[in-house]
Amino acid sequence: MIERTEERHAEKMKKKQAAQNKIVAAKTVEKGLLIVHTGKGKGKTTAALGMVVRAIGHGQKVGVVQFVKGAMATGEKLVFDAFPDNVEFKPMGEGFTWDTQDRARDIAVAREAWEEVKRMIADPSYAMVLADELNIVLRYDYLPLNEVLEALRAKPAMTHVIVTGRNAPEALIEMADLVTEMTSIKHPFREQGVKAQAGIEF
Amino acid sequence: MIERTEERHAEKMKKKQAAQNKIVAAKTVEKGLLIVHTGKGKGKTTAALGMVVRAIGHGQKVGVVQFVKGAMATGEKLVFDAFPDNVEFKPMGEGFTWDTQDRARDIAVAREAWEEVKRMIADPSYAMVLADELNIVLRYDYLPLNEVLEALRAKPAMTHVIVTGRNAPEALIEMADLVTEMTSIKHPFREQGVKAQAGIEF
């Protein structure tokens, strides 16, 4: 009886493998992807950081610009700094709009960060560029959306560009190859009064 | 006119900051979280890897067990191996069920991986334990759900445990502190025939 189950399983999996092989064989395209992580749930930035880790591991050159995080000593900064030949890591933000309370300065900071992203995207030696929380800046109209879309449209064919942040503009989603929405099912901040903790939020 | 806009902005942000400060002040709890990343979208594993990076950066000890990935040289393995004092990284899978075609062996492999996770969770020196794709194994009934829930329930108070994989069991979601569903809005595999690429999928 058990033997029959095992046999049936092997048979079924052989068929599934054949189907899978067919699917994989049909996927032949290699291209740099425009990737968007949006939604209200957690995981937008961390999923991008995970991709950065993978790219580093494969010896690729990665540029990371953070539009909101700045002075704070994040875990990602400490790890990426250990790979200076692979990662150019630039936390260029000055915090949230309610911390800076200075719109003109926020706009200037966003502009400076965006110029870095533009430079990295235009340089084909970067295999991956992460514009972390760029959506936030676009949401506030701190950068002209058209200028951003234009730079993304002109990216080298093999460069992966990842844009994170809630409220991704429709036109960006439209243009992107891979879009994931992080949906919050349960969040301990709101529900249990748990504070931001090292390893989780920063 | 511009000056008025700037002033209004500063005023509005001052109020927002006060509100934010109140929210932050109300969040005083520090605790190890049971975190679940599920859903059909991309980013479940990468978001967990991002948390691992943050924890490593803060000098925490992290245990990572991968239930599906095995022999493949992933980017995450190469990076985490650079931090041998911080990360114990164990890719213990042997691939997908349709690759192994051996149910008894799949179950034995799942059991072995789970014993590693159990050991790490029970040891309070680990600040974070990632059980990558554990949900897949649970979905196939390769491990008794009750045994898994029991070990998670008994975890040290300050340990973060992250469980990834689509189709998270209801009882696990019930027990978790933080649950994010990754929803696929656009996926270049299906839509453009793009194959799995280094830095993105592995």
Side-chain angles (χ1 to χ4, degrees):
Chain A
M1 192 58 190
I2 284 170
E3 224 165 276
R4 283 293 304 278
T5 310
E6 298 296 327
E7 265 172 45
R8 267 204 304 272
H9 174 88
E11 205 51 52
K12 209 171 127 192
M13 289 304 127
K14 232 169 246 160
K15 276 183 197 154
K16 198 162 176 182
Q17 189 187 38
Q20 284 290 333
N21 286 349
K22 220 168 142 182
I23 293 171
V24 170
K27 291 169 186 160
T28 52
V29 180
E30 274 186 83
K31 64 178 276 192
L33 302 174
L34 175 56
I35 301 170
V36 175
H37 294 166
T38 194
K40 291 185 180 167
K42 286 186 65 60
K44 298 181 289 293
T45 293
T46 42
L49 296 177
M51 287 179 174
V52 171
V53 166
R54 286 181 169 170
I56 295 172
H58 291 291
Q60 300 174 355
K61 183 172 164 191
V62 184
V64 179
V65 174
Q66 294 189 314
F67 279 79
V68 172
K69 279 188 180 137
M72 199 180 192
T74 57
E76 57 265 36
K77 175 162 173 50
L78 294 158
V79 171
F80 294 159
D81 282 353
F83 297 89
D85 296 338
N86 283 112
V87 202
E88 196 177 348
F89 185 79
K90 304 212 158 185
M92 296 183 72
E94 296 191 337
F96 298 104
T97 48
W98 53 84
D99 291 323
T100 60
Q101 299 175 14
D102 185 337
R103 194 170 166 275
R105 189 178 172 108
D106 286 350
I107 291 173
V109 166
R111 165 58 57 188
E112 210 181 332
W114 169 241
E115 292 299 328
E116 280 299 305
V117 173
K118 261 208 304 201
R119 178 185 60 77
M120 291 170 173
I121 291 178
D123 176 351
S125 75
Y126 291 87
M128 183 180 281
V129 178
L130 165 56
D132 188 40
E133 307 286 17
L134 172 57
N135 289 337
I136 307 287
V137 169
L138 292 172
R139 174 73 165 183
Y140 292 137
D141 289 321
Y142 285 179
L143 286 172
L145 178 59
N146 277 339
E147 183 186 333
V148 171
L149 295 178
E150 210 171 286
L152 294 173
R153 201 177 286 118
K155 78 168 184 58
M158 292 310 294
T159 308
H160 301 298
V161 179
I162 315 170
V163 176
T164 72
R166 43 174 87 186
N167 297 309
E170 262 314 311
L172 176 63
I173 291 176
E174 197 66 38
M175 187 187 286
D177 300 291
L178 168 57
V179 182
T180 305
E181 185 180 351
M182 278 66 178
T183 311
S184 182
I185 307 291
K186 263 189 184 183
H187 200 307
F189 272 29
R190 280 184 291 278
E191 290 151 22
Q192 300 182 45
V194 173
K195 65 191 224 181
Q197 298 180 97
I200 307 295
E201 276 86 17
F202 57 89
Chain B
M1 191 60 190
I2 283 169
E3 221 165 277
R4 283 291 306 280
T5 310
E6 297 297 327
E7 262 172 45
R8 268 205 305 272
H9 174 87
E11 203 52 51
K12 210 173 124 190
M13 288 303 129
K14 230 167 244 157
K15 275 183 194 154
K16 197 162 175 184
Q17 188 185 40
Q20 283 290 335
N21 286 348
K22 220 169 142 181
I23 293 170
V24 171
K27 290 168 185 160
T28 53
V29 179
E30 274 188 80
K31 64 179 276 193
L33 302 174
L34 175 56
I35 300 168
V36 176
H37 295 167
T38 193
K40 288 183 182 170
K42 286 187 63 62
K44 298 181 287 294
T45 293
T46 42
L49 297 178
M51 286 180 174
V52 171
V53 166
R54 288 181 167 170
I56 294 172
H58 292 292
Q60 299 175 357
K61 185 173 165 190
V62 183
V64 179
V65 175
Q66 293 188 316
F67 280 78
V68 173
K69 280 188 180 132
M72 198 181 195
T74 57
E76 57 263 39
K77 174 158 175 53
L78 295 159
V79 171
F80 293 160
D81 282 353
F83 297 89
D85 295 340
N86 283 113
V87 201
E88 197 177 346
F89 184 78
K90 306 211 158 185
M92 297 183 72
E94 297 189 339
F96 299 105
T97 48
W98 53 85
D99 292 322
T100 59
Q101 299 175 13
D102 185 337
R103 193 168 168 275
R105 189 175 172 112
D106 286 350
I107 291 174
V109 166
R111 165 59 56 188
E112 210 181 329
W114 170 242
E115 292 298 328
E116 280 299 304
V117 173
K118 262 207 305 201
R119 178 186 60 77
M120 290 170 174
I121 291 178
D123 177 351
S125 75
Y126 291 87
M128 183 180 280
V129 178
L130 165 57
D132 189 39
E133 308 285 18
L134 173 55
N135 289 337
I136 307 286
V137 169
L138 291 172
R139 173 74 166 183
Y140 292 136
D141 290 322
Y142 284 180
L143 286 172
L145 178 58
N146 277 340
E147 185 188 332
V148 171
L149 296 177
E150 210 170 286
L152 294 173
R153 200 177 286 116
K155 80 169 182 57
M158 292 311 294
T159 307
H160 301 300
V161 179
I162 314 170
V163 177
T164 73
R166 42 174 85 186
N167 297 309
E170 263 312 311
L172 176 62
I173 290 176
E174 197 66 40
M175 187 187 285
D177 299 291
L178 168 56
V179 182
T180 304
E181 187 180 348
M182 277 66 176
T183 310
S184 183
I185 307 291
K186 263 191 186 181
H187 200 307
F189 271 27
R190 277 184 292 277
E191 291 150 24
Q192 299 183 45
V194 173
K195 65 192 228 185
Q197 297 180 97
I200 307 295
E201 276 86 19
F202 57 90

